[in-house]
């Protein structure tokens, strides 16, 4: 069932937060350069809050300048990311479940690809990639399938892992986020590195003043953002902050996000006796990043961490475990932040202290990340990749 979504909010250049970019920089349905004959379908399970979902929405909005773009979702509840008015969403009327549900998803994809005269498909995340590649081959259209988590994340699901080995070679191209993850795809001939495009949304003038005032009350503070689930290991951020607080008792720890571990983490913070503020889910993060002394991440695995890149774009240094695989491709140790041995809480606390002492130097180097992960650069790579394969 097609749905029309509201226009995207304004976006800003992180190196100059006052420099707002109008939503027309994403798309203009009446642009004479648009090519109505070429339809691109972007396939992802949903547009709920998440890194891959954010990338899908940004990519769709950008590509809608030149192409007719449709999005195919398995469900459209709790949509977090806005789309341009020109983009149509197709979603099954009913939720498909189990093995039979995957066959129905495959049939749904084929039907949409053919009825909408799709010329090119882009899919995100492994299970959806597998179904989308099969549907694209049946519909006889080229497809780029993109990975947004580590290779190992699917290994415990034996059937899907088996299908990945057999189906991924059928795609015109597979992209992965990091060089570290790339080494696992030696069974593929056409594998590329494609980082995430990063945009930061700037609040309106009234909200900006309000948020600035709010985060001023927490200063100086350490920031940590993400889903509060086991793999993010916020408990280790709390323990490291406890040690750090012995040297810097006037600092607060600000945590943004929600998840099943949130209540336990709040109780843990009280038990540790630390100055921790849990703000829950927030859409506007610019002020939080910009006013933090540094950003802390204790994940034990990451694809390519959007929050680390976003923090650096706001010229705020970062401290992270050197986990597989993303942080080492974002952080230049001692230049824009610090990489710490995985699971070493004492070393994490020590890096916190170093980040405070060297903040000015680290902050000066932080914005260089724009050259590698800025949305403008990444979108150019996407456009070149689409041009390379669209006639295959």
């Amino acid at each position: 069932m097609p749905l029309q979504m509201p226009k995207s909010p304004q976006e800003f250049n992180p190196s100059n937060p006052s420099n707002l970019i109008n939503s027309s920089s994403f798309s203009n349905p009446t642009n004479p350069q648009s090519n109505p004959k070429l339809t691109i379908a972007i396939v992802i399970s949903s547009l709920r809050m998440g890194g891959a979902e954010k990338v899908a929405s940004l990519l769709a909005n950008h590509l809608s300048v030149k192409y007719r773009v449709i999005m195919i979702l398995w469900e459209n509840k709790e949509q977090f990311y806005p789309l341009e008015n020109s983009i149509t969403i197709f979603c099954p009327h009913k939720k498909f479940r189990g093995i039979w549900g995957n066959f129905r998803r495959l049939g749904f994809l084929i039907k949409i690809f053919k009825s909408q005269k799709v010329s090119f498909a882009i899919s995100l995340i492994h299970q959806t990639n597998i179904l989308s590649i099969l549907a694209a081959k049946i519909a006889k259209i080229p497809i780029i399938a993109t990975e947004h988590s580590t290779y190992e994340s699917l290994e415990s699901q034996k059937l899907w892992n088996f299908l990945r080995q057999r189906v991924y070679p059928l795609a015109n191209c597979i992209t992965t986020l990091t060089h570290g993850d790339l080494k696992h795809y030696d069974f593929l001939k056409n594998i590329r590195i494609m980082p995430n495009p990063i945009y930061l949304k700037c609040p309106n003038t009234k909200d900006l003043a309000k948020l600035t005032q709010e985060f001023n009350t927490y200063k100086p503070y350490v920031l940590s953002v993400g889903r509060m689930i086991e793999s993010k290991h916020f408990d280790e951020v709390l323990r490291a902050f406890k040690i750090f607080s012995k040297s810097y008792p006037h600092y607060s720890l600000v945590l943004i996000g929600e998840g099943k571990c949130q209540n336990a983490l709040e109780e843990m913070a009280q038990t540790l006796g630390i100055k921790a503020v849990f703000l829950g889910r927030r859409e506007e993060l610019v002020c939080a990043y910009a006013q933090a002394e540094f950003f802390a991440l204790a994940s034990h695995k990451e694809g390519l961490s959007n929050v680390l890149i976003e923090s650096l774009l706001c010229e705020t240094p970062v401290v992270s475990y050197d986990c597989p695989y993303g942080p080492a491709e974002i952080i230049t140790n001692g230049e824009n932040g610090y990489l710490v041995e995985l699971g070493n809480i004492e070393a994490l606390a020590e890096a916190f202290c170093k980040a405070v002492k060297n903040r000015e130097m680290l902050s000066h180097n932080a914005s260089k990340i724009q050259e590698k992960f800025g949305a403008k650069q990444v979108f150019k790579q996407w456009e070149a990749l689409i041009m390379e394969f669209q006639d295959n």
Side-chain angles (χ1 to χ4, degrees):
M1 177 180 180
L3 302 173
Q4 293 293 336
M5 304 310 300
K7 289 185 177 180
S8 61
Q10 290 181 318
E11 304 285 330
F12 90 118
N13 180 347
S15 64
N16 181 9
S18 63
N19 182 20
L20 290 176
I21 302 175
N22 191 275
S23 62
S24 63
S25 65
F26 283 116
S27 75
N28 180 359
T30 61
N31 189 327
Q33 295 180 344
S34 295
N35 182 359
K37 295 181 180 179
L38 186 61
T39 297
I40 293 181
I42 297 179
V43 188
I44 190 168
S45 58
S46 75
L47 287 176
R48 291 177 176 174
M49 187 177 184
E53 292 81 359
K54 183 175 184 179
V55 169
S57 65
L58 289 174
L59 186 59
N61 288 333
H62 176 79
L63 292 177
S64 65
V65 174
K66 295 182 179 180
Y67 305 102
R68 174 180 176 248
V69 176
I70 67 171
M71 292 203 74
I72 304 174
L73 312 178
W74 303 140
E75 61 176 335
N76 197 33
K77 294 180 179 179
E78 302 176 28
Q79 180 176 339
F80 189 75
Y81 301 105
L83 297 173
E84 291 289 350
N85 281 341
S86 62
I87 298 171
T88 303
I89 292 177
F90 291 88
C91 185
H93 292 286
K94 296 181 180 179
K95 191 170 183 178
F96 299 148
R97 300 179 185 275
I99 295 176
W100 177 242
N102 286 315
F103 283 103
R104 296 183 69 184
R105 288 190 184 102
L106 180 61
F108 181 76
L109 285 173
I110 296 168
K111 178 181 178 181
I112 299 299
F113 286 168
K114 291 184 176 181
S115 66
Q116 296 301 308
K117 296 180 171 58
V118 172
S119 306
F120 197 99
I122 299 170
S123 62
L124 298 91
I125 308 177
H126 27 245
Q127 288 99 328
T128 298
N129 286 343
I130 291 167
L131 295 175
S132 299
I133 292 168
L134 292 172
K137 292 301 103 178
I138 294 171
K140 298 180 181 180
I141 59 173
I143 182 168
I144 299 173
T146 70
E147 281 288 349
H148 284 267
S149 56
T150 60
Y151 182 86
E152 295 94 330
S153 64
L154 196 63
E155 287 187 322
S156 61
Q157 301 180 48
K158 293 183 179 180
L159 176 59
W160 286 110
N161 190 40
F162 172 82
L163 290 172
R164 173 170 61 181
Q165 294 280 336
R166 300 301 183 273
V167 174
Y168 271 28
L170 302 177
N172 296 80
C173 183
I174 301 290
T175 72
T176 188
L177 294 172
T178 65
H179 289 86
D181 205 44
L182 181 68
K183 64 186 180 183
H184 296 289
Y185 291 93
D186 56 1
F187 62 95
L188 295 176
K189 293 181 179 180
N190 209 350
I191 178 81
R192 309 286 181 89
I193 300 291
M194 183 65 73
N196 290 334
I198 302 297
Y199 270 119
L200 286 172
K201 185 174 67 174
C202 186
N204 60 45
T205 303
K206 182 178 179 181
D207 289 341
L208 183 63
K210 182 179 179 181
L211 290 167
T212 300
Q213 183 178 10
E214 176 190 4
F215 284 101
N216 271 334
T217 64
Y218 306 133
K219 295 178 69 173
Y221 65 87
V222 179
L223 178 66
S224 194
V225 177
R227 288 180 296 155
M228 295 189 176
I229 57 178
E230 287 89 346
S231 65
K232 299 298 181 181
H233 291 271
F234 279 98
D235 59 315
E236 295 182 29
V237 174
L238 298 182
R239 294 184 191 280
F241 186 80
K242 171 69 174 180
I243 300 170
F244 166 81
S245 295
K246 294 177 182 178
S247 300
Y248 296 91
H250 56 299
Y251 272 65
S252 299
L253 175 62
V254 174
L255 301 107
I256 297 177
E258 59 186 9
K260 61 182 180 181
C261 296
Q262 183 173 345
N263 291 338
L265 289 168
E266 291 181 3
E267 292 175 4
M268 181 180 178
Q270 290 183 342
T271 301
L272 291 172
I274 59 176
K275 294 169 63 177
V277 182
F278 290 79
L279 297 181
R281 172 175 162 174
R282 292 291 183 96
E283 295 185 29
E284 312 288 359
L285 295 177
V286 172
C287 291
Y289 286 127
Q291 296 189 71
E293 294 301 306
F294 62 89
F295 184 93
L297 184 74
S299 296
H300 282 209
K301 61 179 180 179
E302 283 285 337
L304 190 70
S305 175
N306 286 353
V307 290
L308 288 181
I309 299 171
E310 289 171 353
S311 181
L312 290 171
L313 288 173
C314 291
E315 301 184 356
T316 297
V318 294
V319 176
S320 172
Y321 280 148
D322 188 8
C323 66
Y325 291 102
E329 301 196 21
I330 298 168
I331 301 171
T332 302
N333 198 35
E335 183 175 316
N336 58 4
Y338 295 102
L339 289 168
V340 177
E341 178 188 8
L342 184 61
N344 190 332
I345 296 174
E346 290 76 15
L348 190 63
E350 183 180 346
F352 286 1
C353 295
K354 290 166 67 176
V356 172
K357 294 175 183 176
N358 300 315
R359 189 189 190 283
E360 185 175 352
M361 178 272 291
L362 297 170
S363 178
H364 177 75
N365 294 325
S367 61
K368 295 178 183 178
I369 203 73
Q370 176 79 22
E371 299 169 7
K372 185 176 182 181
F373 296 111
K376 184 177 180 180
Q377 288 76 11
V378 176
F379 285 147
K380 284 182 179 179
Q381 295 179 54
W382 264 111
E383 289 168 5
L385 198 59
I386 290 169
M387 289 295 293
E388 180 179 348
F389 294 108
Q390 70 180 34
D391 296 325
N392 287 7

